[in-house]
Amino acid sequence: MRRVGSVGMILAAALTLPAIPSASAVSSVTLYASPSGAGSTCSVSAPCTLAGAQSAVRSQLAADSTADVTVLLADGTYRLTSTWKFSAADSGSAGHPVVWKAAPGARPVISGGSQITGWEQAGSSGVWSASVPAGSKSRQLYVDGHETSVATASPTSLGFTGSWTGSSTGYDISGDQAAKAWFGSLTAGQVAGVEFDYPGGNGAWTESRCRVASFSAAAGTLTMSQPCWTNVTARAVFNDGSGGLPSMSVNQMPAFIENAQSLLGSGHWFLDTAGNKLYYKPVPGQQMAALDVELPRLESLVQGAGTLAAPLHDIAFSGLQFSHATWNAPSTAAGFSDVQSNLRITGRNDQGLCKFSKYTTDASCPFGALTQPLANVAFSASKNITLTGNRFTLLGGAGLSVMYGSANVVVQGNEFTDIASTAILLGCTYDPHPIDPIPLSPAPADPSNPADIKQNCTPDAAAVSGDTIGTNEILTGTTVADNIIHHIGTDYSSACGITLLFAQNTTITRNNLYDLPYTGITSGVIQGHVDQNGPTAQNTININASNTISNNIIHDYMSVRHDGGAVYVEGHQAQYVYQTGGTTVDPVQTLAKGLQVTGNIAYNSPETNFTYYDDAGSEWINWQGNVAFGAGAASQGGCMPTGHFWVTGNYLSAGTGYYPCTPKSNPPTDTNVSGTTSIPATPGPSDLPAGVLSAAGVGSGTISPVLAASPRITYVSPTTNATQVLVAGEGFDATTPVYIGTTQVSGVTHLSSGFMIVPIPAGTTAAQISAGPQLPAGVRVNDTDSGISYSGFALSSGRAYGDYQNDVHYATANGSTATYTFTGTGIQVRGEQFTDQGNIGISIDGGPQQTVSTLPTDGARHADVALYTSGLLPSGNHTIVVTKLSGQYATLDGLTVLTSARVNDTDSGISYSGFALSSGRAYGDYQNDVHYATANGSTATYTFTGTGIQVRGEQFTDQGNIGISIDGGPQQTVSTLPTDGARHADVALYTSGLLPSGNHTIVVTKLSGQYATLDGLTLNGG
């Protein structure tokens, strides 16, 4: 439930689908929907609601099943009161899909949330409260388009001594007086809401969570919720184990304690479900009246579900945003007993292990049949479905799932970001169903239980009760291409970008995956853990066949969890083909049906074990033509795989064939390594073929992406003695400007959305190279600067933790202060986050003190981080006071003074739709010009780097409302009418709250009135 910031996205083209040839006799109809729609006309002037439009579509199809039906969604937020469901009745026909898409220039949001208003201050601690709908339950809250953290603290920050003793039922905390007092201050209901977080508790790749059931003050004991506690601390041990799925010690202290009102800190929220009250403590710079606060109420947002006999089919979604849904199952007694890749145990402690465990031999339970995360947008028994140019963001489960009898689903050109679990989930753990048992002993046939499949792989087992399970429920023909996937796993950090379970003929290609907490793409996870090498090792077989993972760019992954890779594989990956005669496997033909991992590029992940990871029981994989640099100790290898690997023609900065867990006497079978080109860990332009770089990532195929990332550099090759450098990152295209300092570079070679070759003059450093429009930079002030006045702080140098200029000021006494006067429009406080720290207070220009936590969310030490960033301040002189409030230490590693930059309305970076230029009005416009629009729906879009933005324009009686959306978040309505009836030129119409440092996109939309104006923008740097 911690937030990870979002990179802004922009519409680069109209959201349209490729033209589909049709017979001249085919009828065509366009329907219209609006958030304020009503009735059944569904016309431009009288649009329908979504439900009304869906009813009209069904009527059209009933009259003519081959008609071309399109529904255009107007701009705005469509607040669902129940799941938006699609069934066979909503289907188009072959070549004539029903199309649901954004109207030109619109960015409709399909929301499962309630916008919370009516905020009032709750006491004097800076906390605000508001009433919420009765029965509200959610594990997420979204504020101004970003997830914010539930009330959280570490045991250390609460003063707990840690004298806890674990047992099969929970903890004895009688020796920890502070913990006893804290739990004793809660009611029984409040205790039952408290959640413990265990990063790495069940292995470095996991993050389990369990709730407290009760507290006995007399005995000093905490009873933990069951079955979560048993499933985390006492998992069944299984025979023939390949690798381990460990239990956590009962004595393990939680790293974080969450979901109690008394834990509210800056930017935290708490939902009182009994009192129907939501509490939130704004971060410095936020004003409650200006915030868009979205509390999810739905778990299933969109559901497309047919049956095997009558599937949903031939339907397309384009240009929509799916947001504000939650997933509440981890709040139940089963909790989040993490096994791997967000798969978890929710039943008995041998779930998914039962056939091979030492305790039972239950043949009704296929190995690996763990519980999957709920997907907020889900399709089952669905064929010929297309999703293009959509945004899946601000979601509390997985973003999108496709499973059970689905075929030929295309997921292309979408963005997945700010998602609590995995972005894309393909297949179902309960349906590995082997259709080709190999004639090797023991090789037990392991047909899956049809009832289990229907119960766990579909949203409604009763609806598919008539389906006959065999091979027709296999997921087949899925294409996942040209998608941007980043900042996922925000709550459940073992999430992978894309999880492929059991499927055939899947193509995962040309996607950009980055800023991930764990593995980029995984295939067959869990299924291989009982298949060690050897001729009798085939305990589990599955239907995986002819799947491809190709030409993806994966970087800056494994940022939180450990023991994963860019591409991680377990279990069988091919259907066996036999030589003439019947019992000998044909290796060439079988490999052709195996997993093809080709042309991928992975970099920037020093914590990776193996970049291309063939782990437990994996076999029949073709690793060919891939690139890996700066990404771990080994480029290819794993732990106890079965074998049959071909590793050919790769460009790697580290070794191959590294299997440290496998006995030397029994290495993987049939491994073949050839044609490897060794490259540096920091390769330059001459170390990698341009053709390999050009073929990877979003837009490298034949279709231009509808969505594109804002330009961002994440890697620059060494500049010493170089005349050109390899630059990697996101959002590059042929028009992306590159600067060295303030000078734009000519002669840049744009290879793909992720790579450029940039010529540089002698003496250039990597820090001087930037991509995209130049924006204001901050001025760094070190903690030793003479302008900082300290009281109670001391200097510490040479700590080797990564402090700026290798020094830091620290204080141990509460009330110690650091004071600094600066000239600028914003300021950032830099320092350390660690478990021995606590809260600091921030006051600017004598204003109220704001409390900021300096505790890390992951329990690790982080040096020289932004502890606080102010909002946009008036230009001029300001004074900031930093005060130590709690914890053992407070640190100050300096400050960054932020400046603002004015962008005129004529700036080429502003993209207009429906606006025109007017000059020389003599009303006082900035630089004597302004852009204006008369048509509602007209937009102005701008991408910037900074921590705040201000929209400038005119106020007058002939104007009305404008809509403001940042980073695809819900639109906020702003009035441009003057309060005094007079004309006011070049005024601040809107000022954002504090934004995460980085790239953002703002969209200004005319909503009402005769005119809307834009006189430019003011940016806050950082």
Side-chain angles (χ1 to χ4, degrees), residues 779-853:
V779 176
R780 184 62 189 262
V781 177
N782 192 31
D783 59 284
T784 57
D785 191 279
S786 60
I788 304 175
S789 174
Y790 290 106
S791 173
F793 277 78
L795 177 66
S796 178
S797 302
R799 300 192 312 155
Y801 290 146
D803 302 325
Y804 182 69
Q805 294 188 2
N806 205 28
D807 52 45
V808 68
H809 272 71
Y810 71 96
T812 57
N814 292 343
S816 299
T817 60
T819 304
Y820 184 70
T821 298
F822 63 98
T823 302
T825 56
I827 193 161
Q828 190 175 78
V829 177
R830 311 285 299 189
E832 179 183 76
Q833 292 176 332
F834 195 47
T835 54
D836 58 4
Q837 299 192 41
N839 292 333
I840 58 173
I842 305 291
S843 175
I844 296 179
D845 296 337
Q849 188 180 77
Q850 303 172 58
T851 302
V852 176
S853 173

Side-chain angles (χ1 to χ4, degrees), residues 1 41 62 92 103 120 123 247 249 275 362 378 394 406 446 451 461 465 583 689 741 769 797 967:
M1 287 175 268
T41 304
E120 298 178 344
S247 296
S249 168
D362 186 344
L394 310 181
S406 295
D446 182 22
S465 60
T583 61
I769 302 173
S797 302
D967 297 338

Side-chain angles (χ1 to χ4, degrees), residues 736-773:
T736 301
V738 178
Y739 293 86
I740 296 176
T742 59
T743 303
Q744 187 168 352
V745 182
S746 59
V748 174
T749 302
H750 294 85
L751 299 173
S752 69
S753 61
F755 293 95
M756 299 184 291
I757 297 175
V758 178
I760 61 170
T764 299
T765 64
Q768 293 175 299
I769 302 173
S770 63

Side-chain angles (χ1 to χ4, degrees), residues 160 164 169-171 173 182-183 186-198 209-216 221-226 228-229 254 256-260 330-333 335:
F160 296 177
W164 295 20
T169 60
Y171 294 101
I173 63 171
W182 189 82
F183 282 102
L186 306 180
T187 67
Q190 290 169 339
V191 168
V194 172
E195 185 167 293
F196 287 172
D197 183 10
Y198 301 98
R209 296 170 172 272
C210 284
R211 294 220 160 179
V212 179
S214 63
F215 170 63
S216 169
T221 57
L222 293 172
T223 300
M224 299 298 293
S225 292
Q226 295 287 10
C228 186
W229 186 243
F256 297 98
I257 297 172
E258 301 183 348
N259 202 42
S331 296
T332 66

Side-chain angles (χ1 to χ4, degrees), residues 307-491:
T307 67
L308 298 180
L312 169 68
H313 62 91
D314 296 288
I315 190 168
F317 301 89
S318 180
L320 311 182
Q321 177 172 313
F322 305 103
S323 293
H324 310 142
T326 189
W327 172 39
N328 288 320
S331 296
T332 66
F336 193 85
S337 176
D338 198 357
V339 177
Q340 190 170 341
S341 302
N342 276 197
L343 304 180
R344 71 197 204 285
I345 301 173
T346 57
R348 65 193 196 190
N349 69 332
D350 63 350
Q351 177 187 345
L353 315 176
C354 48
K355 175 168 289 188
F356 302 100
S357 77
K358 294 179 178 179
Y359 307 138
T360 65
T361 56
D362 186 344
S364 69
C365 171
F367 185 85
L370 300 167
T371 304
Q372 298 173 215
L374 171 82
N376 298 127
V377 178
F379 291 90
S380 60
S382 300
K383 299 186 176 183
N384 304 323
I385 310 298
T386 302
L387 299 113
T388 59
N390 304 290
R391 297 188 75 233
F392 297 77
T393 184
L394 310 181
L395 297 172
L400 170 69
S401 71
V402 185
M403 61 181 74
Y404 184 78
S406 295
N408 304 321
V409 174
V410 176
V411 183
Q412 187 162 25
N414 306 281
E415 181 199 14
F416 295 82
T417 186
D418 286 313
I419 295 172
S421 183
T422 188
I424 301 174
L425 184 60
L426 305 176
C428 180
T429 54
Y430 277 83
D431 193 15
H433 188 63
I435 59 175
D436 187 18
I438 63 174
L440 298 175
S441 178
D446 182 22
S448 302
N449 187 320
D452 282 345
I453 293 174
K454 293 176 183 179
Q455 186 65 45
N456 294 282
C457 304
T458 74
D460 184 354
V464 297
S465 60
D467 285 353
T468 300
I469 301 297
T471 60
N472 55 344
E473 84 280 5
I474 295 173
L475 176 64
T476 184
T478 308
T479 298
V480 178
D482 298 293
N483 300 286
I484 300 172
I485 299 172
H486 62 106
H487 294 102
I488 58 88
T490 56
D491 290 4

Side-chain angles (χ1 to χ4, degrees), residues 10 14 43 219 292 304 480 512 694 710 742 772 867 882 946 1000 1016:
I10 58 173
S43 65
D292 172 42
V480 178
N512 287 21
S694 298
S710 301
T742 59
L867 303 175
V882 181
H1000 305 280

